[in-house]
Amino acid sequence: MIRSERLPISLSAILIGILATAVPSPLMEPSSAQESQSSKISGGSDSSPTIPLVYKAEHTGEAYPAPVLPEFDELPVVRPLPDPFAWSDGSGRSTAFKDWSRRRSEIKAEIERYGIGEKPPKPSDITAEFENNTLRVSVTENGETLTLTARVDLPEGKGPFPAVIGIGRGSGSLPREIFSQRKIAMIAFNFNQVMAHQQNRGSEPINRLYPQLTHIGAYAAWPWGISRLIDGLELVDDDLPIDRQRLAVTGCSFAGKMALFAGALDERIALTIAQESGGGGAAAWRVSETLGNVETLGKTSHAWFLDDMFQFSGAVDKLPYDHHELMALVAPRALLVLGNPDYEWLADESGYVSCRAAHEVWKNFGVGDRFGFSIVADNPHCQLPDNQRPEVEAFVDKFLLGRTEVDTSVSKHPFESVEHEFWYDGWTKGTSSFPTLDGANVETLTFEAEAMNPGSDWQIKEDTKASGEKYVIINDGLNSTEAVPQNENSSLSISVTTTKDAKYYVHARVNCPTADDDSFWLKIDDSDFAAVNGLTTNGWQWVKLTTAVLKPGSHSIVIKHREDGAMLDQILVTTYPFGAEGLESTTSNFPALKDAVGQRFKIGVGVSHQVIGNPKDVTLLRRHFQIVTPENCMKPQGIHPEEHRWSFEQTDAFADFVRQSGLEMVGHCLVWAKDDRTDTWMMTEGDQPVSRETLLRRIETHTETVVKRYADVVTHWDVVNEAIGDSNDGLLRDSIYSRTTGIDFVVTAFETARANDPDALLIYNDYNGHQPGKREKLIEFLKQLKAAGAPVDAYGMQGHFELGDQSLSQLRETFDELRKLDIKIVVSELDIDVVKRGRWWSDDGKYREELRHYDPYEDGLPSNVEDEMVRQYVDLFELFDEYSESIARVSFWNLHDGQSWLNYFPWKRTNYPLLFDRNRNPKAAFHAVIDRL
């Protein structure tokens, strides 16, 4: 028999209007429309009969207004696991159950907004039938119909029967007899009828019904399909004897995630069993980020989530929620999480921490035994072992069969040494113990492997991507996987002096390309050697080797070879639990620069490609900046050394770092219009100067090749650099480019860049454009480019200022002129030279010999000089703020004082031109700029 549910259009409109204005009733006393088993299933001694086990509505909080959710740039950084009881608008928190429906609707909105996309609501046009053991549900929207079919295995008897919806098959990956022996019906969900495992966005079955939702991830689509099966069960109630108050859902691996999302997003499901769901399931993104080769946010499948979610891949601490809150959406209903730590990718250590945090929600409501987790090793993936079966049966017995005497207080795991409370004690106890790098509570010691006197069995080799460009590796053929090498030549010994009585974490920066060369032997002090295996990495990465509780004093760490392909760069010993990848600069107690700037303009920094290999630099960069410029590796001489030879390695690595960090990149630069910055091959044809046609063709080829390769990550291109002359002779600098083509080389470069990256900001970059003489040339140059059709979007003002240069009025005049031309402003290379360099070029260089020995601030910067620098930085940022509608970006040139080019140009001296000192600490100028912003 076919059953249908269609609301007349007029009635639908009335109901929508009522729901839009209705104020939901509190859930402290469940209403007849919501309550299912609150009194029938008490859940044991810690359960309250007033707390429902299941609801009759798919989403009881749908009438609450949606929270206002910020854009990515406006989101605050939250390092611990977010508080599941805190309102999204920051107005406070509530642990009262009467408020849980509202808070639950906010968490759901956050997950949909930032993680998976909108789960479509229940359609108004649904029909269902049950024949030949098959449930058939047809959903019609936008004139399109989607039909779901599910095989139903019914027990013998009259029913109604509890039921489990298994993903893929009726019992999921759990043994069928667990359900069949208990007379529980099994309903198989064919997820491919909704969306394929690796979706083709916009071309999946659900997209026919909802063409406006082509962006959604599979974990919005698949739970929608499961909810529609439950709708179908309601429609065929007379033909299919299912007790809809006792529904369960289960699946394993990616289907374990699916089961978890389904249970979280449909409150008609009484029991969710999420088996080995891993990253994107039970595991918390924040915790996974601190582990090894696990499924982190940046590594999970794009098909399953929103593409927009991956902007958090390098900034998971800006994600407003985490997956302990996904699990909490199931509360107060029942949830059992199953793990398998044999599979590193599943991130079960992260899942354990996340489960501990999520359990606090159930405990807060007095129903702690409705949540359990069991993480058991020594079994194949998605095959329930015998020693994990009792907890599954207990949850089934209590929450599907109503056997209230069954004990479901389950917390089985192998992670006794894992510290979990600091991730969430801020909202359970009111005071957070989350580790911070405040200089007093954390001790960190770093050692270069090649400097640790490795024995003669080790070789010291060079690699530009290694710290100090050197690493160590054992001689070929010296594998010793079965026993510790006894030869002293196999040792690399490290002497460590600690000052704390604390747990220390030993990490190493290694390059272990395969499972056959990814291990060492290691011991600390008088302990036995232990094998450290499974360190396989993708290039140079930090990995955790071991932990040890150490007393203050001297200690020794001895590393010996185990497999001959394992490369070792650095060793880090720290009391900070997150090791090198988690180390953040001591600015952690201060606002991030990018947060202070807000929406005024992008804040960026130019750095060497080598900086991205230093974890402390990386942490400082990620914390404070949004957009990164490669200092040298993308310049034409570096990336294109010969006409038919390219050198992409360094720039590729830089771009990969930017992608993985969720940052933006400046393409710097495509054409540098100076002969001494141009390779000979670009300037010549045979033994003659290059012809106009050939030069323009080469520029076009170079620009097209580079732009196409990096257009996905570059948002700003420095298309042409320093083409305007400094002398009074002519508009353009004398170069092979201007001599051969006039202004046409600039036009060609801009047109080619636009053709290959239509959405990027295209910039002409130069210095001293604020000074009156060069300003006049700059404005004329830009006018000519516009007249010639060159798509110039912005002028890149390099911004290399000298202390006290009184440039503000000149900058203002230049900014006003650029605004008249509708040209954006980019401050592309900002710093303030405190050791004035003007005399270097004056009087034909007569002072240069004197200046070569001039280093006035070698022992530190006098306070009066620093005060002047602070005032100048504040004045600059006041101006930038005033013109923020015209300014697209402000980028510092280098990350901290120790890396500044002004320590060496135009002569070697100790300089202090930036906001961070040589120890990466914020300077007075940083605080002053933050205060101004």
Side-chain angles (χ1 to χ4, degrees), residues 453-700:
N453 299 315
S456 58
D457 287 348
W458 296 85
Q459 302 176 59
I460 298 176
K461 292 192 172 183
E462 295 185 352
D463 184 345
T464 58
K465 295 181 180 179
S467 173
E469 301 190 2
K470 292 181 180 179
Y471 68 94
V472 300
I473 188 171
I474 206 71
N475 291 326
D476 287 346
L478 293 183
N479 291 289
S480 185
T481 57
E482 299 300 321
V484 180
Q486 298 303 306
N487 184 352
E488 285 303 312
N489 293 332
S490 64
S491 296
L492 187 153
S493 299
I494 305 164
S495 295
V496 180
T497 301
T498 61
T499 63
K500 298 182 180 299
D501 185 353
K503 178 182 282 188
Y504 283 80
Y505 302 81
V506 182
H507 296 252
R509 189 171 188 260
V510 300
N511 187 345
C512 297
T514 74
D516 294 326
D517 41 30
D518 68 342
S519 65
F520 302 93
W521 294 100
L522 180 145
K523 76 167 187 172
I524 298 178
D525 293 336
D526 295 327
S527 64
D528 294 331
F529 276 99
V532 183
N533 198 0
L535 304 179
T536 305
T537 65
N538 180 14
W540 289 107
Q541 290 181 333
W542 285 96
V543 297
K544 185 165 72 174
L545 300 183
T546 190
T547 62
V549 176
L550 302 177
K551 299 289 185 182
S554 298
H555 302 276
S556 66
I557 299 174
V558 180
I559 297 174
K560 292 197 172 192
H561 68 84
R562 191 171 183 273
E563 292 173 302
D564 65 355
M567 295 169 267
L568 178 62
D569 180 18
Q570 291 177 291
I571 300 93
L572 179 94
V573 182
T574 181
T575 56
Y576 191 56
F578 311 129
E581 292 292 359
L583 283 172
E584 58 186 281
S585 82
T586 52
T587 63
S588 57
N589 294 327
F590 308 108
L593 187 59
K594 61 187 178 184
D595 293 337
V597 171
Q599 299 298 306
R600 294 176 175 91
F601 38 75
K602 297 183 189 298
I603 194 77
V605 63
V607 296
S608 161
H609 69 280
Q610 294 176 328
V611 166
I612 65 175
N614 185 313
K616 294 181 181 180
D617 288 336
V618 165
T619 304
L620 184 67
L621 188 158
R622 286 173 172 165
R623 175 172 169 75
H624 290 283
F625 300 100
Q626 300 160 296
I627 184 165
V628 194
T629 307
E631 188 176 20
N632 291 308
C633 66
M634 192 183 254
K635 289 173 179 174
Q637 283 182 302
I639 204 171
H640 197 179
E642 298 175 12
E643 183 165 11
H644 300 296
R645 183 168 71 88
W646 296 83
S647 181
F648 291 120
E649 293 80 8
Q650 292 177 352
T651 312
D652 280 353
F654 195 98
D656 286 343
F657 161 77
V658 173
R659 293 183 185 101
Q660 293 163 11
S661 300
L663 301 169
E664 298 176 42
M665 181 170 163
V666 179
H668 177 77
C669 56
L670 296 172
V671 178
W672 197 346
K674 298 177 72 173
D675 286 350
D676 62 352
R677 299 297 185 176
T678 303
D679 288 310
T680 302
W681 72 263
M682 179 69 85
M683 298 191 290
T684 58
E685 280 184 277
D687 57 358
Q688 298 295 318
V690 67
S691 68
R692 168 189 169 84
E693 292 75 14
T694 300
L695 181 57
L696 292 178
R697 175 180 54 77
R698 287 173 177 173
I699 290 171
E700 184 174 355

Side-chain angles (χ1 to χ4, degrees), residues 723-831:
I724 300 174
D726 292 320
S727 69
N728 294 324
D729 299 330
L731 179 63
L732 299 178
R733 178 191 304 278
D734 181 55
S735 69
I736 187 66
Y737 303 98
S738 61
R739 291 191 300 270
T740 308
T741 76
I743 203 172
D744 290 349
F745 79 93
V746 183
V747 177
T748 295
F750 273 93
E751 288 180 341
T752 306
R754 174 65 79 226
N756 291 281
D757 195 352
D759 299 323
L761 189 79
L762 303 186
I763 303 162
Y764 170 70
N765 195 57
D766 213 327
Y767 56 87
N768 291 344
H770 61 290
Q771 295 181 356
K774 198 162 184 177
R775 180 198 307 133
E776 185 177 346
K777 285 188 172 187
L778 171 67
I779 299 303
E780 176 59 26
F781 177 62
L782 293 173
K783 287 179 178 178
Q784 289 189 21
L785 288 179
K786 278 183 162 284
V792 184
D793 298 319
Y795 163 57
M797 179 192 75
Q798 292 184 6
H800 297 300
F801 299 108
E802 289 189 8
L803 192 67
D805 61 13
Q806 304 299 316
S807 55
L808 286 180
S809 61
Q810 298 174 343
L811 288 169
R812 187 182 300 278
E813 291 182 42
T814 300
F815 289 179
D816 288 339
E817 290 298 318
L818 292 168
R819 189 151 53 182
K820 292 175 186 176
L821 293 179
D822 195 25
I823 294 285
K824 286 285 187 181
I825 301 157
V826 167
V827 184
S828 58
E829 303 175 21
L830 178 61
D831 48 36

Side-chain angles (χ1 to χ4, degrees), residues 193 409 715 754:
Q193 293 179 341
S409 299
T715 56
R754 174 65 79 226

